[in-house]
DNA sequence: AATTCGGGGGA
DNA sequence: TCCCCAGAATT
């Protein structure tokens, strides 16, 4: 490895001193309960603090311990996760809770290696739990730390490349102190979230600015280097908003895959050259219903890797259709708003209610 | 090594 | 718009 531009043990004291004055008070910072720390770490994966706090509180009210979580049906876990995104996290969380109860006797393991056996717990999350709950000397490498290290060492390569990843982990390990690991870990994440910002870092407020190589070279605005982004494809779908006596037909998506376990109105995909209304009529024949479709317009919903264009069609019927009740459910309008619909269909519901239904 | 997986917020 | 967020699992 290249020669270090500063003494690595100079970092932690500066961060700790800064954190004791400027650190934020967050709900999961008051505890050393591994269950609560684990839950917060999973919820915070690729998710902002502001988005998580409400979910975190609500989740703990429903599942105050790993035993409660393990005993719950998976659907209940998904429902409490609805709106937070990345639903595999909820499935993995539930599976890990069962594993903890059944194989670990309800006790959390303390080492990174063991923690990484839990589904949904990778190297960084394992490090976080080990450091935060057990004061173990374990590094993390989340988005905050990655950005800070890229600047601190003026790393001139794309931070997601495998070479950079290896280098960053090495630095993360060097900087992580043996003592006060909990506070150090919270501190470095806080610094990234409030001072070493992606754009326009607040270097005047940074306790590491004197040591920062990017700052020394005037590169703090340029680093970390940007990854080149691909164009996002567009997917087309159509949804059938089937109404009978004020109730609408909804169903749960399959438990795995995109938006797993969330509710939606029956939906079909529209390939290039296909007509949405014709595909919806195929759906109608599945349900053995007929009548005039009423177009309700389009919804656009942005995902990280594609854009969804969703066409809406409403149909009111009188006869009770032959719908498999196991997979489908009739839901009144006021119930729909409480349902764990995914984002695009929440928008569809709003459009439906705005249309005078 | 590249892709999949959400939704929200800031500039 | 574009980018990022307390990343992990799958291909």
């Amino acid at each position: 490895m290249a020669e270090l531009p500063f003494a690595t043990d100079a970092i932690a004291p500066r961060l700790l001193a800064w954190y004791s004055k400027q650190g934020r008070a967050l709900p999961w910072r008051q505890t050393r309960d591994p269950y609560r720390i684990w839950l917060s770490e999973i919820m915070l994966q690729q998710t902002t603090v502001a988005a998580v706090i409400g979910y975190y509180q609500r989740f703990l009210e429903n599942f105050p311990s790993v035993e409660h979580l393990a005993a719950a049906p998976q659907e209940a876990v998904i429902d409490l996760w609805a709106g937070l995104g990345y639903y595999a996290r909820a499935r993995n969380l539930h599976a890990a809770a069962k594993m903890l109860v059944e194989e670990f006797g309800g006790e959390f393991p303390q080492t990174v290696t063991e923690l990484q056996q839990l589904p949904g717990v990778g190297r960084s999350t394992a490090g976080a739990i080990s450091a935060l709950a057990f004061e173990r000397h374990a590094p993390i490498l989340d988005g905050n730390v990655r950005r800070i290290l890229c600047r601190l060492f003026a790393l001139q390569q794309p931070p997601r490349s495998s070479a950079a990843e290896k280098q960053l982990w090495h630095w993360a390990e060097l900087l992580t102190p043996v003592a006060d690991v909990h506070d150090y870990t919270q501190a470095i994440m806080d610094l990234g979230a409030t001072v070493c910002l992606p754009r326009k870092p607040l270097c005047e407020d940074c306790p590491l600015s004197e040591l920062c190589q990017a700052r020394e070279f005037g590169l703090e605005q340029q680093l970390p280097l940007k990854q080149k982004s691909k164009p996002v494809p567009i997917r087309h779908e159509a949804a059938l908003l089937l109404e009978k006596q004020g109730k609408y037909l909804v169903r749960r998506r399959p438990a795995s895959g995109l938006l797993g376990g969330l509710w939606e109105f029956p939906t079909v995909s529209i390939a290039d050259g296909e007509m949405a209304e014709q595909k919806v009529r195929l759906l109608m024949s599945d349900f053995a219903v007929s009548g005039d479709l009423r177009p309700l317009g389009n919804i656009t919903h942005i995902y990280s890797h594609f854009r969804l264009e969703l066409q809406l069609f409403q149909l009111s019927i009188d006869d009770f259709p032959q719908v498999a009740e196991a997979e489908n459910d009739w839901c009144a309008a006021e119930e729909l708003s409480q349902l764990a619909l995914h984002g695009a269909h929440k928008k569809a519901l709003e459009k439906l209610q705005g249309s005078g239904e």
Side-chain angles (χ1 to χ4, degrees), chain A residues 5-6 11 140-172 175 184 188 191-192 196-198 201 203 208 211-227:
Chain A
F6 46 79
I11 301 295
I140 65 165
L141 187 60
D142 72 327
N144 293 307
V145 177
R146 181 175 285 108
R147 183 170 57 255
I148 290 170
L149 295 181
C150 282
R151 287 179 175 149
L152 203 49
F153 292 93
L155 182 68
Q156 305 274 359
Q157 29 183 339
R160 295 291 187 165
S161 68
S162 58
E165 197 81 357
K166 187 178 176 187
Q167 176 67 268
L168 289 166
W169 271 110
H170 178 67
W171 285 331
L175 297 193
Y184 168 83
I188 195 167
L191 188 75
C196 197
L197 304 171
C203 298
L208 307 180
L211 305 174
C212 182
Q213 297 298 286
R215 173 87 163 148
E216 185 172 329
F217 302 146
L219 294 174
E220 66 271 21
Q221 306 273 359
Q222 277 69 44
L223 299 178
L225 295 182
K226 305 287 180 245
Q227 313 275 131

Side-chain angles (χ1 to χ4, degrees), chain A residues 32-35 37 107-111 115 126-137 181-182:
Chain A
R32 297 297 183 272
D33 177 2
Y35 172 68
I37 288 170
E107 292 286 306
F108 274 77
Q110 301 193 8
T111 67
L115 285 162
I129 299 169
S130 190
L132 297 174
F134 303 113
E135 288 286 349
R136 294 257 180 163
H137 179 255
V181 190
H182 174 278

Side-chain angles (χ1 to χ4, degrees), chain A residues 202-354:
Chain A
L202 308 175
C203 298
E204 295 76 12
D205 301 331
C206 180
L208 307 180
S209 62
E210 294 171 8
L211 305 174
C212 182
Q213 297 298 286
R215 173 87 163 148
E216 185 172 329
F217 302 146
L219 294 174
E220 66 271 21
Q221 306 273 359
Q222 277 69 44
L223 299 178
L225 295 182
K226 305 287 180 245
Q227 313 275 131
K228 49 190 169 194
S229 57
K230 297 191 317 177
V232 293
I234 302 175
R235 292 187 200 175
H236 295 271
E237 294 181 353
L240 173 63
L241 281 52
L242 183 59
E243 181 264 343
K244 176 184 159 53
Q245 295 173 357
K247 295 191 169 187
Y248 284 85
L249 189 67
V250 289
R251 61 190 186 190
R252 265 192 201 273
R253 294 173 63 90
S256 64
L258 181 70
L259 304 167
L262 270 68
W263 290 87
E264 66 179 12
F265 300 104
T267 300
V268 286
S269 66
I270 314 295
D272 284 347
E274 288 182 329
M275 298 296 295
E277 188 164 340
Q278 280 188 305
K279 295 295 295 270
V280 173
R281 292 197 179 281
L282 289 178
L283 203 52
M284 289 168 60
S285 72
D286 286 347
F287 295 141
V289 298
S290 59
D292 293 329
L293 286 172
R294 186 161 75 97
L296 280 186
N298 296 351
I299 296 286
T300 300
H301 196 72
I302 309 292
Y303 296 88
S304 51
H305 53 302
F306 66 93
R307 195 177 85 198
L308 175 64
E309 296 289 343
L310 178 65
Q311 290 182 251
L312 306 179
F313 295 91
Q314 198 251 6
L315 175 65
S316 292
I317 57 169
D318 297 319
D319 298 331
F320 201 81
Q322 299 186 344
V323 173
E325 292 292 334
E327 300 169 12
N328 302 282
D329 205 0
W330 293 94
C331 218
E334 56 270 22
E335 297 173 306
L336 285 170
S337 58
Q338 302 300 315
L339 203 60
L341 291 167
H342 64 263
H345 284 216
K346 231 181 283 180
K347 290 182 188 172
L349 176 61
E350 288 168 16
K351 195 177 256 295
L352 178 67
Q353 291 170 336

